[in-house]
């Protein structure tokens, strides 16, 4: 019993049994952990660089940009990049990178602030609302990151 447990522990330290394989080709080591948030649900996929870049033309562009990208809120290693959906609906296309904790917090804040009765507004008012929400969310993230950093 005792020795079996020791062997398992040694394996974990060695790390060889914990190489994660690419979900797509199941051959290469998964070096890309792709997080996407769809309708408030986050999904993550583990892909190798090849499969990730092959999965979509945007992914190829993105991974090139991601090489030297930083989380735009805390400066950490970004786990995901994409077009900011708030910027998109307001007509501004920009790439945005954030690490997983920041991404989740940003998403949570936006969901929380989105007004359920906004659909009754005119398109112009909705856009104004979303622009304001985008600015509020950025301000909230700066606050959140500084509080998180001091903990
Ligand atoms: Zn692969
Ligand atoms: Zn971050």
């Amino acid at each position: 019993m005792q020795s079996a447990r020791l062997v398992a522990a040694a394996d974990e330290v060695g790390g060889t049994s914990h190489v994660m394989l690419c979900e797509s080709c199941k051959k290469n080591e998964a070096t890309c952990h792709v997080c996407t948030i769809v309708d408030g649900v986050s999904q993550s996929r583990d892909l190798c660089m090849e499969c990730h870049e092959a999965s979509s033309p945007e992914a190829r562009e993105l991974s090139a940009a991601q090489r030297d990208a930083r989380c735009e809120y805390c400066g950490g290693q970004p786990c995901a990049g994409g077009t900011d959906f708030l910027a998109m609906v307001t007509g501004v296309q920009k790439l945005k990178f954030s690490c997983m904790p920041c991404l989740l917090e940003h998403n949570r804040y936006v969901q929380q602030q989105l007004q359920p009765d906004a659909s009754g507004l005119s398109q112009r008012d909705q856009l104004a609302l979303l622009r304001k929400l985008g600015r509020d969310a950025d301000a909230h993230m700066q606050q959140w990151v500084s509080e998180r950093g001091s903990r």
Side-chain angles (χ1 to χ4, degrees), residues 71-76 98-103 144-145 148:
C71 168
E72 80 162 57
Y73 300 115
C74 70
S98 46
C99 64
M100 196 58 179
C102 289
L103 192 68
W144 182 77
V145 163
R148 187 182 64 158

Side-chain angles (χ1 to χ4, degrees), residues 98-120:
S98 46
C99 64
M100 196 58 179
C102 289
L103 192 68
L104 289 175
E105 178 61 15
H106 185 272
N107 195 55
R108 189 196 65 76
Y109 180 83
V110 168
Q111 295 288 328
Q112 185 196 329
Q113 300 293 314
L114 271 182
Q115 308 209 354
D117 58 353
S119 53

